[in-house]
Amino acid sequence: MSGTAIMGITDEMSMQRLRMIEQLRGTHRIVDERVLEAMSAVPRHLFVPEAIKSQAYKDNALPISSGQTISQPFIVARMTELLELKGQEKVLEIGAGSGYQTAILASLARKVFAIERLDTLAHEAERRLASLGFRNVDLKAGDGTNGWDAYMPYDAILVAAGGPEIPAPLVKQLKIGGRLVIPVGDDRKSQMLTRVTRTESGNKVKNFGPCAFVPLIGEHGWEANG
Ligand code: SAH
């Protein structure tokens, strides 16, 4: 492929990315400029399978490998905005999948610890993030519903899969004043986007509307074969 042809693809992707940002700002009312900035810098098309690269900037969830999905850009923006990151935080992410949400968090916080249940996805995400130059991410394969106690307490925790309840270990690993954003619902397919803020006197819980994530599978989530 000639240099100009490569340039052409890159330009087309940048333009689509800009349109995605306009949609996040206009239609979805995302107001945190740092979140919009991070999403305009991270090349989402490098996180989806080659065959569906051209759809990377549509406002949809898309299939990645192992039957999982990369979340819809709007939901990535919304969940990240709800964490209220300013730049110095230590963040825990559960359900790293393609690593796209991880990259957004790593652009906005000091350090990200990420857990992905499926080995193949975890290794792919780790490689992808390293090749894009993210140095402030530690990613491991495992059950994230138990959190990652070696590095607790966290300023913010994001769970990118839907569970039946708020996993108790995650709340325990939050700092006072820390935020946990997680989709919670009684069936495996639909949830309510929920934010828990840990305070001196207990937990403040607030709902932010319906959403649909792949199931959170693990000790404090759903059973693997349900
Ligand atoms: N944020 C991801 C979305 C991936 S979908 C992205 O941007 O691509 C949710 C992911 O959660 C899946 O990859 C699934 O394997 C993972 N998952 C489900 N249960 C988990 C658990 N208990 N611990 C860690 N990851 C889990």
Side-chain angles (χ1 to χ4, degrees), residues 113-206:
F113 294 94
I115 309 178
E116 167 53 49
R117 179 175 163 263
L118 302 171
D119 285 346
T120 343
L121 285 178
H123 292 136
E124 277 172 23
E126 198 174 25
R127 264 202 307 277
R128 190 175 281 133
L129 290 163
S131 74
L132 289 170
F134 288 94
R135 309 245 176 277
N136 57 341
V137 176
D138 261 11
L139 201 151
K140 71 167 182 182
D143 175 8
T145 64
N146 285 311
W148 194 340
D149 59 8
Y151 301 104
M152 64 174 272
Y154 300 96
D155 300 281
I157 302 179
L158 187 150
V159 184
E165 60 187 21
I166 296 163
L170 298 185
V171 180
K172 277 204 202 104
Q173 293 177 24
L174 265 188
K175 277 187 193 163
I176 302 293
R179 288 83 56 206
L180 160 67
V181 174
I182 177 172
V184 184
D186 317 318
D187 78 81
R188 294 170 79 104
K189 294 212 165 115
S190 64
Q191 306 89 20
M192 192 59 92
L193 189 57
T194 307
R195 180 171 67 184
V196 181
T197 307
R198 187 166 180 191
T199 72
E200 294 278 5
S201 54
N203 303 318
K204 213 170 71 186
V205 181
K206 202 170 162 189

Side-chain angles (χ1 to χ4, degrees), residues 12 29 34 45 93 131 167 217:
E12 177 55 28
R29 302 272 175 253
R34 293 183 73 244
H45 61 281
E93 183 201 14
S131 74
I217 293 166

Side-chain angles (χ1 to χ4, degrees), residues 44 47 64-66 68-71 76 93-102 115-118 121 140-146 158-162 213-221:
R44 185 171 158 94
F47 290 81
I64 50 176
S65 46
S66 315
Q68 304 302 320
T69 53
I70 175 170
S71 311
V76 170
E93 183 201 14
I94 314 301
S98 68
Y100 177 70
Q101 171 82 71
T102 321
I115 309 178
E116 167 53 49
R117 179 175 163 263
L118 302 171
L121 285 178
K140 71 167 182 182
D143 175 8
T145 64
N146 285 311
L158 187 150
V159 184
F213 279 79
V214 297
L216 177 71
I217 293 166
E219 196 175 337
H220 300 268

Side-chain angles (χ1 to χ4, degrees), residues 17 20-21 24 35-42 73 76-77 100 104:
R17 189 152 67 239
M20 175 186 82
I21 300 299
L24 291 174
V35 173
L36 293 167
E37 211 173 288
M39 290 183 73
S40 53
V42 175
V76 170
Y100 177 70
I104 301 300

